[in-house]
Every structure is written in C-alpha cells, then in structure tokens.
Amino acid sequence: MNQPVPLHFITAPGARPWKTHALESALRNVPPGKLPAFATAGDAQPSYGLIAFLKAVNVAWVRPTPDGQGVENALGTLLGTDAPLAAGGLAVTGSVLHPANRTSRIGAYTGRMLEPFQVQPLRTGATEPLAWQWEVDAITGWFHERMPWSALIFSGNHVTGLLTAVRTDAGVVESFDALVTTGSPLGEAVRDAAIQQAAALNSMDFSMDLHFGADELGVHAGADGYRVPLGTVLGPDFVKGMDLTAQALEGVGLALLGARPFQHLAVTFPLVSAWDGGRGQALRQGTFQMQRPDSRRGNRAYT
C-alpha cells in the first residue's frame, strides 16, 4: 500500500501574505522525502500573484480545519449558490511558444494580451513588494539567465498576476495568469477583441473567467473555484485532436479562426455578471468532452 508523502508546512503569518524571500528560501530547504505546503490562517487572503506561483510550482495552500485539529485544501471548496464576492475580478490566462534563441522577448506577449482589457503591467519582481519597472528587455534577460524555468510577479493599475517562462524541446513557453480588477463588466466587444488578439498572436491557449473568489486584496481561502468561464482559445496543436463536427451545447459558441492548418478554436460561453452556481463550468466540461471522438457517445445527455 502506498503511504502518503508527509507535508512540510511553511507558515505564512498575517492576513495578506505575499511572495517573499523567506518563502523562496523555505521552498529551497524542504527536507528530502517531504512535500511543501503553504499554511495560512483560515481567513487569510494571499495575493493573486502568490497563489498563481504556488499553482505553477505545485505547492499546496492549506488552512486549519474548522475544528482546528487538522488542515484542509484552501484552494478547494464545495461550490454553493452564494459566492464569497458579489463582484470579483476577471481571471485571464494565456501562453505562447517562442523560438529558443535570443530574439525572443519575454513579456511582450503578456502585455499585448492584456491590452483588450485596458490594463498593462507597470511593475514586476521575483518577490513582493515589487521593486522593478516592467521593461521587456530587462525581463527577457532575467529569464534567460534563469532557464529552464522561472517566474516573476507583476502588477499595474487594476491588474496583478504571474509571468513564467520555461524552456522546452520546442522552444520557450511564455505563460501568464492575471487578475483584472477594473470592475467593468465584460461585454461581447471586449471578449471578441481578446479572442482575436489571442489568435493573432498565435497563442497556444487563452482563457477568460469571472472570478468571484478573488479581488485586488487577494484570493479568499477556499474560494478559488468560484469562476465562471467566458471564453477559451486553443491553438492549432490542440485543435488537431478534436472532432469539430460535434454539436455545440446550448449557449456555447464555436468558431475556427485562421487558415488551415494553423487554425485556432474559439469557444465562448454565456456572458454573466453574477455567480451562476457552476453552470458555466459544466458547460465548459461538456463542450470539451464532446470534442473528443472517443467520448461523444457517452455525452449525449449534454445535447
């Protein structure tokens, strides 16, 4: 029988934890045979950039159980009819493949993908508070010195997030995970502009979610799952393995952008302004299950 790997707790004091030098040092010094776990108070709200970093490096965020006798996953929750926030933020993620050479400029893609939402990164840094100005050439040099993988947190007016770069056999993948907190409702024009931008910049993938568990103060414990999908773009490599003749679900739009064989699949979901109880998540799951040739028969109930 496989025994669970013991956790090594890295305790973060305070109500608004940041990504700090102390956290980086603690992660480098996890004892062999143990998994790191970032432990906070039950009501702590870590910064969005910190939570994005923990996800990127597969470090669990835990908080005390209600009885105080153990710990529980602070990223997970049983979704209910009421979300923690009446209006949260817009979670935006994306990635692109750069050639593995010195011509690649890390950060330029992320900045351009945030343009449709009328926000831009202004500051960045490996730890918070952020100490550097957002300068693509400097950022590119920083990442090149730290390959094969590294990450920077960034922020600007009404935006914060994480920028990562990883060297692969195919090239360098630039990825971002950002939270936009302008408070402006997302309309069709902005969503369509972001989708067109994702395809034009040859994104590997791109997505937009309304996030009712995070805002400019941070991510509410247990509430990261309160997301409503609004749109997704998949790059050509992902589209090749899909059966695009499958019938779309009601309220879901499917479109192919670009010319063969370099076509992106754009998927749009119903625009909402309030927590939908998880309906959008079910639509997204059903949509992508239906595009798999080996699972269409088992998903007729979604049509």
Side-chain angles (χ1 to χ4, degrees), residues 15-296:
R16 304 282 187 269
W18 283 349
K19 182 174 181 281
T20 61
H21 289 293
L23 172 60
E24 287 192 333
S25 177
L27 290 174
R28 287 194 297 266
N29 292 286
V30 175
K34 291 191 174 184
L35 289 177
F38 183 73
T40 70
D43 59 352
Q45 292 176 236
S47 71
Y48 189 85
L50 170 56
I51 295 305
F53 170 78
L54 294 178
K55 289 181 177 181
V57 294
N58 295 316
V59 172
W61 171 25
V62 299
R63 61 176 177 173
T65 54
D67 61 11
Q69 300 303 305
V71 296
E72 62 183 7
N73 178 11
L75 285 174
T77 188
L78 295 176
L79 301 180
T81 55
D82 295 324
L85 296 171
L90 180 67
V92 185
T93 65
S95 66
V96 71
L97 179 66
H98 296 294
N101 57 45
R102 292 284 174 171
T103 66
S104 300
R105 302 180 72 242
I106 309 301
Y109 164 80
T110 295
R112 293 192 63 186
M113 283 309 309
L114 292 173
E115 289 174 352
F117 309 102
Q118 298 185 350
V119 295
Q120 60 179 333
L122 298 176
R123 298 168 296 278
T124 190
T127 59
E128 298 174 281
L130 305 180
W132 312 330
Q133 290 186 338
W134 178 271
E135 296 178 352
V136 171
D137 289 340
I139 290 169
T140 299
W142 187 90
F143 275 113
H144 280 163
E145 292 174 358
R146 288 161 177 81
M147 288 296 172
W149 185 93
S150 198
L152 289 174
I153 294 176
F154 64 85
S155 70
N157 295 330
H158 305 297
V159 64
T160 184
L162 185 77
L163 170 67
T164 64
V166 57
R167 185 173 61 224
T168 69
D169 291 340
V172 175
V173 177
E174 172 184 344
S175 304
F176 73 93
D177 182 348
L179 185 74
V180 179
T181 58
T182 59
S184 303
L186 184 73
E188 288 187 8
V190 174
R191 181 177 64 183
D192 291 349
I195 286 174
Q196 293 293 335
Q197 185 85 311
L201 296 180
N202 201 29
S203 299
M204 295 173 59
D205 58 80
F206 174 74
S207 68
M208 298 170 279
D209 293 346
L210 277 183
H211 199 320
F212 292 97
D215 57 16
E216 64 276 0
L217 296 179
V219 180
H220 289 239
D224 191 58
Y226 283 89
R227 297 172 179 245
V228 180
L230 302 177
T232 297
V233 176
L234 296 179
D237 286 344
F238 294 106
V239 176
K240 289 176 183 176
M242 291 188 174
D243 178 7
L244 299 179
T245 64
Q247 180 180 347
L249 301 181
E250 182 179 355
V252 177
L254 300 176
L256 286 172
L257 306 179
R260 289 183 176 183
F262 305 108
Q263 287 184 302
H264 289 71
L265 175 65
V267 186
T268 56
F269 302 96
L271 288 176
V272 300
S273 58
W275 170 241
D276 68 353
R279 179 176 179 271
Q281 294 182 12
L283 280 176
R284 176 167 56 191
Q285 181 182 17
T287 297
F288 288 111
Q289 284 180 335
M290 289 185 65
Q291 309 312 315
R292 292 173 51 200
D294 60 346
S295 64
R296 286 184 59 189

